[in-house]
């Protein structure tokens, strides 16, 4: 994890210096969002924008539950990981459309983002009851990497950008098992987010 963070920092530093001497721009952003599974995420990031339509960079953030209740399950489930929190490092690529509104002070465009979310692994135990009412315990080890995707409407006023959109990820916030089939159920947190940024 430390090696990945060091490499990403070095790459972003080089891009930031390169942006000052070319036609590219640097973009610093702050993002916050909520999902339909009682979770939220906050992050800050840097991207280098090529040709006004492609941005390469990364974010550092945290995804967590904002309720003391366990994430909802599709069958009988009692999780022991209340308020589970997942810090992450997220290298990503952004793509922007040409402006469909292009005024002297205001531009509107669409943006999409694909990302790889790298998070420390954790081990947890789930407690649930089977179809006969007997207690069952499941131990699991989380993944290190997950994917993320987002799409948003972006407004740019001079050097400031504001965006609102929709996101989905495979980041493991909780793990569910079916009490009848004993199979793992994968959840993909989805929700809305807002993003502000500055070009320089």
């Amino acid at each position: 994890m430390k090696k990945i963070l060091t490499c990403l920092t070095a790459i972003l530093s080089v891009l930031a210096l390169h942006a000052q001497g070319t036609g590219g721009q640097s973009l610093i952003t702050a993002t916050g969002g909520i999902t339909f599974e009682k979770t939220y995420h906050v992050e800050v990031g840097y991207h280098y924008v090529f040709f006004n339509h492609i941005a390469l960079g990364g974010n550092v953030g945290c995804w967590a539950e904002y309720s003391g209740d366990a994430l909802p399950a599709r069958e009988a489930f009692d999780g022991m990981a209340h308020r589970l929190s997942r810090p992450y490092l997220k290298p990503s690529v952004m793509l922007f459309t040409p402006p469909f509104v292009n005024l002297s002070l205001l531009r509107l465009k669409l943006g999409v983002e694909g990302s790889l979310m790298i998070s420390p692994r954790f081990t947890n135990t789930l407690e649930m009851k089977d179809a006969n009412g007997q207690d069952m315990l499941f131990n699991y080890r989380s993944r290190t990497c997950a994917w993320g995707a987002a799409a948003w409407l972006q407004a740019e006023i001079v050097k400031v950008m504001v965006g609102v959109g929709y996101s989905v990820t495979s980041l493991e916030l909780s793990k569910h098992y079916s009490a009848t089939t004993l199979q793992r159920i994968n959840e993909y947190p989805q929700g809305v987010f807002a993003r502000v940024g500055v070009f320089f």
Side-chain angles (χ1 to χ4, degrees):
M1 185 71 175
K2 291 182 179 179
K3 291 182 179 179
I4 294 173
L5 181 58
T6 301
C7 290
L8 183 61
T9 302
I11 292 171
L12 296 180
S13 298
V14 171
L15 290 176
L17 292 174
H18 180 68
Q20 297 176 2
T22 66
Q25 298 184 86
S26 290
L27 173 63
I28 293 179
T29 58
T31 305
I34 58 174
T35 72
F36 309 123
E37 291 83 14
K38 296 184 178 181
T39 66
Y40 69 92
H41 64 99
V42 292
E43 63 185 39
V44 293
Y46 168 84
H47 287 77
Y48 175 67
V49 184
F50 302 85
F51 313 118
N52 296 319
H53 300 299
I54 304 171
L56 175 64
N59 304 273
V60 176
C62 184
W63 208 304
E65 295 179 69
Y66 60 80
S67 169
D69 299 328
L71 295 176
R74 297 174 186 168
E75 300 195 37
F77 169 80
D78 180 20
M80 299 172 64
H82 299 304
R83 294 186 180 275
L84 185 62
S85 178
R86 299 296 308 277
Y88 60 83
L89 176 66
K90 189 176 81 172
S92 69
V93 176
M94 296 180 180
L95 302 176
F96 306 105
T97 65
F100 54 87
V101 173
N102 194 2
L103 306 176
S104 58
L105 295 178
L106 173 66
R107 294 182 300 277
L108 294 180
K109 59 179 67 173
L110 299 177
V112 294
E113 179 181 25
S115 59
L116 175 67
M117 306 178 75
I118 305 167
S119 183
R121 300 184 70 185
F122 67 90
T123 300
N124 197 17
T125 300
L126 300 182
E127 179 182 351
M128 59 185 294
K129 295 184 181 297
D130 62 17
N132 298 319
Q134 300 297 316
D135 290 334
M136 302 173 64
L137 295 178
F138 293 92
N139 293 316
Y140 72 89
R141 182 79 168 153
S142 71
R143 296 188 303 266
T144 300
C145 298
W147 56 263
W152 65 91
L153 172 65
Q154 178 170 307
E156 297 177 5
I157 305 172
V158 190
K159 293 293 186 179
V160 177
M161 66 82 75
V162 178
V164 290
Y166 173 85
S167 66
V168 60
T169 180
S170 64
L171 184 70
E172 294 172 305
L173 295 165
S174 185
K175 189 79 72 178
H176 301 159
Y177 281 86
S178 167
T180 54
T181 65
L182 303 183
Q183 297 296 312
R184 187 174 68 191
I185 299 172
N186 291 319
E187 300 288 346
Y188 299 99
Q190 304 175 49
V192 294
F193 68 92
R195 173 174 290 157
V196 295
V198 178
F199 293 97
F200 64 95

